[in-house]
mmCIF file with all atom_site columns, all heavy atoms in Angstrom:
data_model
loop_
_atom_site.group_PDB
_atom_site.id
_atom_site.type_symbol
_atom_site.label_atom_id
_atom_site.label_alt_id
_atom_site.label_comp_id
_atom_site.label_asym_id
_atom_site.label_entity_id
_atom_site.label_seq_id
_atom_site.pdbx_PDB_ins_code
_atom_site.Cartn_x
_atom_site.Cartn_y
_atom_site.Cartn_z
_atom_site.occupancy
_atom_site.B_iso_or_equiv
_atom_site.pdbx_formal_charge
_atom_site.auth_seq_id
_atom_site.auth_comp_id
_atom_site.auth_asym_id
_atom_site.auth_atom_id
_atom_site.pdbx_PDB_model_num
ATOM 1   N N   . GLY A 1 1  ? 0.824   -1.194  0.001   1.00 98.00 ? 20 GLY A N   1
ATOM 2   C CA  . GLY A 1 1  ? -0.011  -0.020  -0.004  1.00 98.00 ? 20 GLY A CA  1
ATOM 3   C C   . GLY A 1 1  ? 0.840   1.247   -0.024  1.00 98.00 ? 20 GLY A C   1
ATOM 4   O O   . GLY A 1 1  ? 2.064   1.162   0.227   1.00 98.00 ? 20 GLY A O   1
ATOM 5   N N   . PRO A 1 2  ? 0.255   2.435   -0.208  1.00 98.00 ? 21 PRO A N   1
ATOM 6   C CA  . PRO A 1 2  ? -1.122  2.574   -0.647  1.00 98.00 ? 21 PRO A CA  1
ATOM 7   C C   . PRO A 1 2  ? -1.340  1.947   -2.052  1.00 98.00 ? 21 PRO A C   1
ATOM 8   O O   . PRO A 1 2  ? -0.372  1.901   -2.836  1.00 98.00 ? 21 PRO A O   1
ATOM 9   C CB  . PRO A 1 2  ? -1.377  4.110   -0.610  1.00 98.00 ? 21 PRO A CB  1
ATOM 10  C CG  . PRO A 1 2  ? -0.088  4.656   -0.134  1.00 98.00 ? 21 PRO A CG  1
ATOM 11  C CD  . PRO A 1 2  ? 0.937   3.658   -0.035  1.00 98.00 ? 21 PRO A CD  1
ATOM 12  N N   . LEU A 1 3  ? -2.582  1.633   -2.383  1.00 98.00 ? 22 LEU A N   1
ATOM 13  C CA  . LEU A 1 3  ? -2.916  1.072   -3.667  1.00 98.00 ? 22 LEU A CA  1
ATOM 14  C C   . LEU A 1 3  ? -3.319  2.136   -4.667  1.00 98.00 ? 22 LEU A C   1
ATOM 15  O O   . LEU A 1 3  ? -4.313  2.807   -4.455  1.00 98.00 ? 22 LEU A O   1
ATOM 16  C CB  . LEU A 1 3  ? -4.081  0.051   -3.482  1.00 98.00 ? 22 LEU A CB  1
ATOM 17  C CG  . LEU A 1 3  ? -3.860  -1.099  -2.493  1.00 98.00 ? 22 LEU A CG  1
ATOM 18  C CD1 . LEU A 1 3  ? -4.988  -2.094  -2.528  1.00 98.00 ? 22 LEU A CD1 1
ATOM 19  C CD2 . LEU A 1 3  ? -2.514  -1.864  -2.744  1.00 98.00 ? 22 LEU A CD2 1
ATOM 20  N N   . GLY A 1 4  ? -2.450  2.292   -5.645  1.00 97.00 ? 23 GLY A N   1
ATOM 21  C CA  . GLY A 1 4  ? -2.755  3.305   -6.699  1.00 97.00 ? 23 GLY A CA  1
ATOM 22  C C   . GLY A 1 4  ? -3.645  2.833   -7.752  1.00 97.00 ? 23 GLY A C   1
ATOM 23  O O   . GLY A 1 4  ? -4.149  1.698   -7.724  1.00 97.00 ? 23 GLY A O   1
ATOM 24  N N   . PRO A 1 5  ? -3.887  3.681   -8.789  1.00 95.00 ? 24 PRO A N   1
ATOM 25  C CA  . PRO A 1 5  ? -4.830  3.293   -9.868  1.00 95.00 ? 24 PRO A CA  1
ATOM 26  C C   . PRO A 1 5  ? -4.448  2.038   -10.620 1.00 95.00 ? 24 PRO A C   1
ATOM 27  O O   . PRO A 1 5  ? -5.288  1.350   -11.155 1.00 95.00 ? 24 PRO A O   1
ATOM 28  C CB  . PRO A 1 5  ? -4.799  4.513   -10.780 1.00 95.00 ? 24 PRO A CB  1
ATOM 29  C CG  . PRO A 1 5  ? -4.224  5.638   -9.903  1.00 95.00 ? 24 PRO A CG  1
ATOM 30  C CD  . PRO A 1 5  ? -3.346  5.017   -8.911  1.00 95.00 ? 24 PRO A CD  1
ATOM 31  N N   . ASN A 1 6  ? -3.172  1.713   -10.699 1.00 96.00 ? 25 ASN A N   1
ATOM 32  C CA  . ASN A 1 6  ? -2.673  0.554   -11.407 1.00 96.00 ? 25 ASN A CA  1
ATOM 33  C C   . ASN A 1 6  ? -2.209  -0.598  -10.499 1.00 96.00 ? 25 ASN A C   1
ATOM 34  O O   . ASN A 1 6  ? -1.405  -1.430  -10.884 1.00 96.00 ? 25 ASN A O   1
ATOM 35  C CB  . ASN A 1 6  ? -1.558  0.946   -12.379 1.00 96.00 ? 25 ASN A CB  1
ATOM 36  C CG  . ASN A 1 6  ? -1.971  1.979   -13.392 1.00 96.00 ? 25 ASN A CG  1
ATOM 37  O OD1 . ASN A 1 6  ? -3.074  1.842   -13.997 1.00 96.00 ? 25 ASN A OD1 1
ATOM 38  N ND2 . ASN A 1 6  ? -1.146  3.023   -13.543 1.00 96.00 ? 25 ASN A ND2 1
ATOM 39  N N   . TRP A 1 7  ? -2.736  -0.630  -9.274  1.00 98.00 ? 26 TRP A N   1
ATOM 40  C CA  . TRP A 1 7  ? -2.254  -1.567  -8.316  1.00 98.00 ? 26 TRP A CA  1
ATOM 41  C C   . TRP A 1 7  ? -2.341  -3.060  -8.756  1.00 98.00 ? 26 TRP A C   1
ATOM 42  O O   . TRP A 1 7  ? -1.443  -3.887  -8.464  1.00 98.00 ? 26 TRP A O   1
ATOM 43  C CB  . TRP A 1 7  ? -2.853  -1.395  -6.926  1.00 98.00 ? 26 TRP A CB  1
ATOM 44  C CG  . TRP A 1 7  ? -4.298  -1.792  -6.838  1.00 98.00 ? 26 TRP A CG  1
ATOM 45  C CD1 . TRP A 1 7  ? -5.369  -1.053  -7.147  1.00 98.00 ? 26 TRP A CD1 1
ATOM 46  C CD2 . TRP A 1 7  ? -4.815  -3.045  -6.352  1.00 98.00 ? 26 TRP A CD2 1
ATOM 47  N NE1 . TRP A 1 7  ? -6.559  -1.730  -6.911  1.00 98.00 ? 26 TRP A NE1 1
ATOM 48  C CE2 . TRP A 1 7  ? -6.217  -2.935  -6.416  1.00 98.00 ? 26 TRP A CE2 1
ATOM 49  C CE3 . TRP A 1 7  ? -4.233  -4.223  -5.857  1.00 98.00 ? 26 TRP A CE3 1
ATOM 50  C CZ2 . TRP A 1 7  ? -7.052  -3.985  -5.977  1.00 98.00 ? 26 TRP A CZ2 1
ATOM 51  C CZ3 . TRP A 1 7  ? -5.039  -5.256  -5.476  1.00 98.00 ? 26 TRP A CZ3 1
ATOM 52  C CH2 . TRP A 1 7  ? -6.441  -5.152  -5.488  1.00 98.00 ? 26 TRP A CH2 1
ATOM 53  N N   . LYS A 1 8  ? -3.387  -3.420  -9.529  1.00 97.00 ? 27 LYS A N   1
ATOM 54  C CA  . LYS A 1 8  ? -3.559  -4.767  -9.934  1.00 97.00 ? 27 LYS A CA  1
ATOM 55  C C   . LYS A 1 8  ? -2.422  -5.159  -10.930 1.00 97.00 ? 27 LYS A C   1
ATOM 56  O O   . LYS A 1 8  ? -1.955  -6.247  -10.909 1.00 97.00 ? 27 LYS A O   1
ATOM 57  C CB  . LYS A 1 8  ? -4.927  -5.005  -10.522 1.00 97.00 ? 27 LYS A CB  1
ATOM 58  C CG  . LYS A 1 8  ? -6.050  -4.973  -9.461  1.00 97.00 ? 27 LYS A CG  1
ATOM 59  C CD  . LYS A 1 8  ? -7.424  -5.206  -10.089 1.00 97.00 ? 27 LYS A CD  1
ATOM 60  C CE  . LYS A 1 8  ? -8.568  -5.102  -9.082  1.00 97.00 ? 27 LYS A CE  1
ATOM 61  N NZ  . LYS A 1 8  ? -9.867  -5.431  -9.672  1.00 97.00 ? 27 LYS A NZ  1
ATOM 62  N N   . LYS A 1 9  ? -2.163  -4.235  -11.893 1.00 96.00 ? 28 LYS A N   1
ATOM 63  C CA  . LYS A 1 9  ? -1.172  -4.516  -12.882 1.00 96.00 ? 28 LYS A CA  1
ATOM 64  C C   . LYS A 1 9  ? 0.207   -4.741  -12.226 1.00 96.00 ? 28 LYS A C   1
ATOM 65  O O   . LYS A 1 9  ? 1.018   -5.465  -12.661 1.00 96.00 ? 28 LYS A O   1
ATOM 66  C CB  . LYS A 1 9  ? -1.119  -3.399  -13.887 1.00 96.00 ? 28 LYS A CB  1
ATOM 67  C CG  . LYS A 1 9  ? -2.365  -3.263  -14.771 1.00 96.00 ? 28 LYS A CG  1
ATOM 68  C CD  . LYS A 1 9  ? -2.249  -2.095  -15.757 1.00 96.00 ? 28 LYS A CD  1
ATOM 69  C CE  . LYS A 1 9  ? -3.460  -2.006  -16.613 1.00 96.00 ? 28 LYS A CE  1
ATOM 70  N NZ  . LYS A 1 9  ? -3.380  -0.831  -17.562 1.00 96.00 ? 28 LYS A NZ  1
ATOM 71  N N   . GLU A 1 10 ? 0.451   -3.999  -11.140 1.00 97.00 ? 29 GLU A N   1
ATOM 72  C CA  . GLU A 1 10 ? 1.677   -4.106  -10.437 1.00 97.00 ? 29 GLU A CA  1
ATOM 73  C C   . GLU A 1 10 ? 1.818   -5.424  -9.696  1.00 97.00 ? 29 GLU A C   1
ATOM 74  O O   . GLU A 1 10 ? 2.974   -5.752  -9.294  1.00 97.00 ? 29 GLU A O   1
ATOM 75  C CB  . GLU A 1 10 ? 1.797   -2.927  -9.445  1.00 97.00 ? 29 GLU A CB  1
ATOM 76  C CG  . GLU A 1 10 ? 1.906   -1.545  -10.093 1.00 97.00 ? 29 GLU A CG  1
ATOM 77  C CD  . GLU A 1 10 ? 1.725   -0.393  -9.132  1.00 97.00 ? 29 GLU A CD  1
ATOM 78  O OE1 . GLU A 1 10 ? 1.517   -0.688  -7.940  1.00 97.00 ? 29 GLU A OE1 1
ATOM 79  O OE2 . GLU A 1 10 ? 1.753   0.781   -9.567  1.00 97.00 ? 29 GLU A OE2 1
ATOM 80  N N   . LEU A 1 11 ? 0.751   -6.138  -9.568  1.00 97.00 ? 30 LEU A N   1
ATOM 81  C CA  . LEU A 1 11 ? 0.825   -7.467  -8.847  1.00 97.00 ? 30 LEU A CA  1
ATOM 82  C C   . LEU A 1 11 ? 1.131   -8.628  -9.833  1.00 97.00 ? 30 LEU A C   1
ATOM 83  O O   . LEU A 1 11 ? 1.249   -9.766  -9.394  1.00 97.00 ? 30 LEU A O   1
ATOM 84  C CB  . LEU A 1 11 ? -0.490  -7.740  -8.190  1.00 97.00 ? 30 LEU A CB  1
ATOM 85  C CG  . LEU A 1 11 ? -0.801  -6.868  -6.900  1.00 97.00 ? 30 LEU A CG  1
ATOM 86  C CD1 . LEU A 1 11 ? -2.154  -7.310  -6.353  1.00 97.00 ? 30 LEU A CD1 1
ATOM 87  C CD2 . LEU A 1 11 ? 0.292   -7.032  -5.846  1.00 97.00 ? 30 LEU A CD2 1
ATOM 88  N N   . VAL A 1 12 ? 1.180   -8.335  -11.133 1.00 96.00 ? 31 VAL A N   1
ATOM 89  C CA  . VAL A 1 12 ? 1.362   -9.408  -12.123 1.00 96.00 ? 31 VAL A CA  1
ATOM 90  C C   . VAL A 1 12 ? 2.488   -10.317 -11.843 1.00 96.00 ? 31 VAL A C   1
ATOM 91  O O   . VAL A 1 12 ? 2.383   -11.554 -11.922 1.00 96.00 ? 31 VAL A O   1
ATOM 92  C CB  . VAL A 1 12 ? 1.480   -8.813  -13.520 1.00 96.00 ? 31 VAL A CB  1
ATOM 93  C CG1 . VAL A 1 12 ? 1.858   -9.902  -14.533 1.00 96.00 ? 31 VAL A CG1 1
ATOM 94  C CG2 . VAL A 1 12 ? 0.154   -8.145  -13.932 1.00 96.00 ? 31 VAL A CG2 1
ATOM 95  N N   . ASN A 1 13 ? 3.612   -9.770  -11.432 1.00 95.00 ? 32 ASN A N   1
ATOM 96  C CA  . ASN A 1 13 ? 4.810   -10.521 -11.090 1.00 95.00 ? 32 ASN A CA  1
ATOM 97  C C   . ASN A 1 13 ? 5.069   -10.725 -9.609  1.00 95.00 ? 32 ASN A C   1
ATOM 98  O O   . ASN A 1 13 ? 6.181   -11.069 -9.215  1.00 95.00 ? 32 ASN A O   1
ATOM 99  C CB  . ASN A 1 13 ? 6.025   -9.875  -11.809 1.00 95.00 ? 32 ASN A CB  1
ATOM 100 C CG  . ASN A 1 13 ? 5.911   -9.854  -13.283 1.00 95.00 ? 32 ASN A CG  1
ATOM 101 O OD1 . ASN A 1 13 ? 5.563   -10.819 -13.921 1.00 95.00 ? 32 ASN A OD1 1
ATOM 102 N ND2 . ASN A 1 13 ? 6.279   -8.698  -13.865 1.00 95.00 ? 32 ASN A ND2 1
ATOM 103 N N   . SER A 1 14 ? 4.020   -10.483 -8.801  1.00 96.00 ? 33 SER A N   1
ATOM 104 C CA  . SER A 1 14 ? 4.177   -10.615 -7.374  1.00 96.00 ? 33 SER A CA  1
ATOM 105 C C   . SER A 1 14 ? 3.562   -11.896 -6.906  1.00 96.00 ? 33 SER A C   1
ATOM 106 O O   . SER A 1 14 ? 2.579   -12.372 -7.453  1.00 96.00 ? 33 SER A O   1
ATOM 107 C CB  . SER A 1 14 ? 3.550   -9.417  -6.684  1.00 96.00 ? 33 SER A CB  1
ATOM 108 O OG  . SER A 1 14 ? 3.476   -9.583  -5.243  1.00 96.00 ? 33 SER A OG  1
ATOM 109 N N   . GLN A 1 15 ? 4.086   -12.450 -5.807  1.00 96.00 ? 34 GLN A N   1
ATOM 110 C CA  . GLN A 1 15 ? 3.547   -13.605 -5.165  1.00 96.00 ? 34 GLN A CA  1
ATOM 111 C C   . GLN A 1 15 ? 2.446   -13.216 -4.251  1.00 96.00 ? 34 GLN A C   1
ATOM 112 O O   . GLN A 1 15 ? 1.579   -14.049 -3.810  1.00 96.00 ? 34 GLN A O   1
ATOM 113 C CB  . GLN A 1 15 ? 4.591   -14.415 -4.371  1.00 96.00 ? 34 GLN A CB  1
ATOM 114 C CG  . GLN A 1 15 ? 5.587   -15.052 -5.273  1.00 96.00 ? 34 GLN A CG  1
ATOM 115 C CD  . GLN A 1 15 ? 6.605   -15.894 -4.526  1.00 96.00 ? 34 GLN A CD  1
ATOM 116 O OE1 . GLN A 1 15 ? 6.727   -15.749 -3.286  1.00 96.00 ? 34 GLN A OE1 1
ATOM 117 N NE2 . GLN A 1 15 ? 7.260   -16.835 -5.181  1.00 96.00 ? 34 GLN A NE2 1
ATOM 118 N N   . ASN A 1 16 ? 2.354   -11.923 -3.833  1.00 98.00 ? 35 ASN A N   1
ATOM 119 C CA  . ASN A 1 16 ? 1.356   -11.431 -2.915  1.00 98.00 ? 35 ASN A CA  1
ATOM 120 C C   . ASN A 1 16 ? 0.107   -11.021 -3.687  1.00 98.00 ? 35 ASN A C   1
ATOM 121 O O   . ASN A 1 16 ? -0.244  -9.842  -3.764  1.00 98.00 ? 35 ASN A O   1
ATOM 122 C CB  . ASN A 1 16 ? 1.921   -10.245 -2.106  1.00 98.00 ? 35 ASN A CB  1
ATOM 123 C CG  . ASN A 1 16 ? 3.100   -10.684 -1.286  1.00 98.00 ? 35 ASN A CG  1
ATOM 124 O OD1 . ASN A 1 16 ? 3.137   -11.780 -0.640  1.00 98.00 ? 35 ASN A OD1 1
ATOM 125 N ND2 . ASN A 1 16 ? 4.119   -9.784  -1.274  1.00 98.00 ? 35 ASN A ND2 1
ATOM 126 N N   . ARG A 1 17 ? -0.591  -12.032 -4.217  1.00 98.00 ? 36 ARG A N   1
ATOM 127 C CA  . ARG A 1 17 ? -1.780  -11.706 -4.967  1.00 98.00 ? 36 ARG A CA  1
ATOM 128 C C   . ARG A 1 17 ? -2.762  -12.864 -4.870  1.00 98.00 ? 36 ARG A C   1
ATOM 129 O O   . ARG A 1 17 ? -2.300  -14.085 -4.761  1.00 98.00 ? 36 ARG A O   1
ATOM 130 C CB  . ARG A 1 17 ? -1.446  -11.473 -6.445  1.00 98.00 ? 36 ARG A CB  1
ATOM 131 C CG  . ARG A 1 17 ? -0.797  -12.646 -7.121  1.00 98.00 ? 36 ARG A CG  1
ATOM 132 C CD  . ARG A 1 17 ? -0.566  -12.399 -8.562  1.00 98.00 ? 36 ARG A CD  1
ATOM 133 N NE  . ARG A 1 17 ? -0.077  -13.628 -9.237  1.00 98.00 ? 36 ARG A NE  1
ATOM 134 C CZ  . ARG A 1 17 ? 0.063   -13.766 -10.532 1.00 98.00 ? 36 ARG A CZ  1
ATOM 135 N NH1 . ARG A 1 17 ? -0.225  -12.735 -11.345 1.00 98.00 ? 36 ARG A NH1 1
ATOM 136 N NH2 . ARG A 1 17 ? 0.550   -14.875 -11.038 1.00 98.00 ? 36 ARG A NH2 1
ATOM 137 N N   . MET A 1 18 ? -4.025  -12.632 -4.871  1.00 98.00 ? 37 MET A N   1
ATOM 138 C CA  . MET A 1 18 ? -5.010  -13.693 -4.838  1.00 98.00 ? 37 MET A CA  1
ATOM 139 C C   . MET A 1 18 ? -6.358  -13.050 -5.228  1.00 98.00 ? 37 MET A C   1
ATOM 140 O O   . MET A 1 18 ? -6.588  -11.822 -5.305  1.00 98.00 ? 37 MET A O   1
ATOM 141 C CB  . MET A 1 18 ? -5.107  -14.261 -3.449  1.00 98.00 ? 37 MET A CB  1
ATOM 142 C CG  . MET A 1 18 ? -5.544  -13.292 -2.384  1.00 98.00 ? 37 MET A CG  1
ATOM 143 S SD  . MET A 1 18 ? -6.483  -14.080 -1.105  1.00 98.00 ? 37 MET A SD  1
ATOM 144 C CE  . MET A 1 18 ? -8.023  -14.548 -1.867  1.00 98.00 ? 37 MET A CE  1
ATOM 145 N N   . CYS A 1 19 ? -7.307  -13.992 -5.488  1.00 98.00 ? 38 CYS A N   1
ATOM 146 C CA  . CYS A 1 19 ? -8.696  -13.525 -5.811  1.00 98.00 ? 38 CYS A CA  1
ATOM 147 C C   . CYS A 1 19 ? -9.652  -14.398 -5.054  1.00 98.00 ? 38 CYS A C   1
ATOM 148 O O   . CYS A 1 19 ? -9.508  -15.624 -5.065  1.00 98.00 ? 38 CYS A O   1
ATOM 149 C CB  . CYS A 1 19 ? -8.926  -13.595 -7.324  1.00 98.00 ? 38 CYS A CB  1
ATOM 150 S SG  . CYS A 1 19 ? -10.615 -13.107 -7.759  1.00 98.00 ? 38 CYS A SG  1
ATOM 151 N N   . ALA A 1 20 ? -10.673 -13.800 -4.507  1.00 98.00 ? 39 ALA A N   1
ATOM 152 C CA  . ALA A 1 20 ? -11.770 -14.543 -3.876  1.00 98.00 ? 39 ALA A CA  1
ATOM 153 C C   . ALA A 1 20 ? -12.888 -14.521 -4.937  1.00 98.00 ? 39 ALA A C   1
ATOM 154 O O   . ALA A 1 20 ? -13.382 -13.487 -5.285  1.00 98.00 ? 39 ALA A O   1
ATOM 155 C CB  . ALA A 1 20 ? -12.234 -13.894 -2.606  1.00 98.00 ? 39 ALA A CB  1
ATOM 156 N N   . TYR A 1 21 ? -13.215 -15.720 -5.449  1.00 99.00 ? 40 TYR A N   1
ATOM 157 C CA  . TYR A 1 21 ? -14.349 -15.864 -6.429  1.00 99.00 ? 40 TYR A CA  1
ATOM 158 C C   . TYR A 1 21 ? -15.574 -16.221 -5.686  1.00 99.00 ? 40 TYR A C   1
ATOM 159 O O   . TYR A 1 21 ? -15.731 -17.355 -5.230  1.00 99.00 ? 40 TYR A O   1
ATOM 160 C CB  . TYR A 1 21 ? -13.984 -16.959 -7.408  1.00 99.00 ? 40 TYR A CB  1
ATOM 161 C CG  . TYR A 1 21 ? -12.812 -16.669 -8.363  1.00 99.00 ? 40 TYR A CG  1
ATOM 162 C CD1 . TYR A 1 21 ? -11.548 -16.895 -7.940  1.00 99.00 ? 40 TYR A CD1 1
ATOM 163 C CD2 . TYR A 1 21 ? -13.007 -16.218 -9.670  1.00 99.00 ? 40 TYR A CD2 1
ATOM 164 C CE1 . TYR A 1 21 ? -10.466 -16.644 -8.802  1.00 99.00 ? 40 TYR A CE1 1
ATOM 165 C CE2 . TYR A 1 21 ? -11.992 -16.015 -10.505 1.00 99.00 ? 40 TYR A CE2 1
ATOM 166 C CZ  . TYR A 1 21 ? -10.698 -16.222 -10.108 1.00 99.00 ? 40 TYR A CZ  1
ATOM 167 O OH  . TYR A 1 21 ? -9.651  -15.998 -10.950 1.00 99.00 ? 40 TYR A OH  1
ATOM 168 N N   . LYS A 1 22 ? -16.508 -15.268 -5.523  1.00 98.00 ? 41 LYS A N   1
ATOM 169 C CA  . LYS A 1 22 ? -17.645 -15.456 -4.635  1.00 98.00 ? 41 LYS A CA  1
ATOM 170 C C   . LYS A 1 22 ? -18.890 -15.607 -5.572  1.00 98.00 ? 41 LYS A C   1
ATOM 171 O O   . LYS A 1 22 ? -19.394 -14.633 -6.129  1.00 98.00 ? 41 LYS A O   1
ATOM 172 C CB  . LYS A 1 22 ? -17.838 -14.330 -3.670  1.00 98.00 ? 41 LYS A CB  1
ATOM 173 C CG  . LYS A 1 22 ? -16.734 -14.257 -2.605  1.00 98.00 ? 41 LYS A CG  1
ATOM 174 C CD  . LYS A 1 22 ? -17.036 -13.199 -1.618  1.00 98.00 ? 41 LYS A CD  1
ATOM 175 C CE  . LYS A 1 22 ? -16.100 -13.415 -0.368  1.00 98.00 ? 41 LYS A CE  1
ATOM 176 N NZ  . LYS A 1 22 ? -16.457 -14.592 0.412   1.00 98.00 ? 41 LYS A NZ  1
ATOM 177 N N   . LEU A 1 23 ? -19.401 -16.839 -5.651  1.00 98.00 ? 42 LEU A N   1
ATOM 178 C CA  . LEU A 1 23 ? -20.550 -17.142 -6.395  1.00 98.00 ? 42 LEU A CA  1
ATOM 179 C C   . LEU A 1 23 ? -21.771 -17.081 -5.507  1.00 98.00 ? 42 LEU A C   1
ATOM 180 O O   . LEU A 1 23 ? -21.970 -17.854 -4.571  1.00 98.00 ? 42 LEU A O   1
ATOM 181 C CB  . LEU A 1 23 ? -20.445 -18.552 -7.028  1.00 98.00 ? 42 LEU A CB  1
ATOM 182 C CG  . LEU A 1 23 ? -21.636 -18.926 -8.002  1.00 98.00 ? 42 LEU A CG  1
ATOM 183 C CD1 . LEU A 1 23 ? -21.453 -18.167 -9.314  1.00 98.00 ? 42 LEU A CD1 1
ATOM 184 C CD2 . LEU A 1 23 ? -21.622 -20.436 -8.217  1.00 98.00 ? 42 LEU A CD2 1
ATOM 185 N N   . VAL A 1 24 ? -22.640 -16.082 -5.803  1.00 98.00 ? 43 VAL A N   1
ATOM 186 C CA  . VAL A 1 24 ? -23.782 -15.825 -4.885  1.00 98.00 ? 43 VAL A CA  1
ATOM 187 C C   . VAL A 1 24 ? -25.061 -16.098 -5.615  1.00 98.00 ? 43 VAL A C   1
ATOM 188 O O   . VAL A 1 24 ? -25.371 -15.575 -6.698  1.00 98.00 ? 43 VAL A O   1
ATOM 189 C CB  . VAL A 1 24 ? -23.801 -14.358 -4.441  1.00 98.00 ? 43 VAL A CB  1
ATOM 190 C CG1 . VAL A 1 24 ? -24.993 -14.063 -3.503  1.00 98.00 ? 43 VAL A CG1 1
ATOM 191 C CG2 . VAL A 1 24 ? -22.510 -14.032 -3.667  1.00 98.00 ? 43 VAL A CG2 1
ATOM 192 N N   . THR A 1 25 ? -25.865 -17.052 -5.099  1.00 98.00 ? 44 THR A N   1
ATOM 193 C CA  . THR A 1 25 ? -27.149 -17.406 -5.650  1.00 98.00 ? 44 THR A CA  1
ATOM 194 C C   . THR A 1 25 ? -28.232 -16.909 -4.669  1.00 98.00 ? 44 THR A C   1
ATOM 195 O O   . THR A 1 25 ? -28.221 -17.287 -3.472  1.00 98.00 ? 44 THR A O   1
ATOM 196 C CB  . THR A 1 25 ? -27.282 -18.994 -5.746  1.00 98.00 ? 44 THR A CB  1
ATOM 197 O OG1 . THR A 1 25 ? -26.215 -19.377 -6.590  1.00 98.00 ? 44 THR A OG1 1
ATOM 198 C CG2 . THR A 1 25 ? -28.606 -19.343 -6.382  1.00 98.00 ? 44 THR A CG2 1
ATOM 199 N N   . VAL A 1 26 ? -29.185 -16.102 -5.140  1.00 96.00 ? 45 VAL A N   1
ATOM 200 C CA  . VAL A 1 26 ? -30.247 -15.538 -4.290  1.00 96.00 ? 45 VAL A CA  1
ATOM 201 C C   . VAL A 1 26 ? -31.594 -16.026 -4.847  1.00 96.00 ? 45 VAL A C   1
ATOM 202 O O   . VAL A 1 26 ? -31.883 -15.865 -6.015  1.00 96.00 ? 45 VAL A O   1
ATOM 203 C CB  . VAL A 1 26 ? -30.189 -14.063 -4.269  1.00 96.00 ? 45 VAL A CB  1
ATOM 204 C CG1 . VAL A 1 26 ? -31.351 -13.491 -3.452  1.00 96.00 ? 45 VAL A CG1 1
ATOM 205 C CG2 . VAL A 1 26 ? -28.847 -13.508 -3.770  1.00 96.00 ? 45 VAL A CG2 1
#
């Protein structure tokens, strides 16, 4: 941090990255 406008692109070559894929059925 802080996370700037391009923070996701900066994580491309980083090990400190992940995604939570939340499938919500209502």
Side-chain angles (χ1 to χ4, degrees):
L22 303 184
N25 299 313
W26 71 274
K27 290 183 183 181
K28 293 180 180 178
E29 294 168 0
L30 291 179
V31 170
N32 297 315
S33 172
Q34 293 184 339
N35 299 319
R36 61 177 186 173
M37 64 150 289
C38 181
Y40 293 83
K41 293 186 166 291
L42 186 73
V43 181
T44 303
V45 179

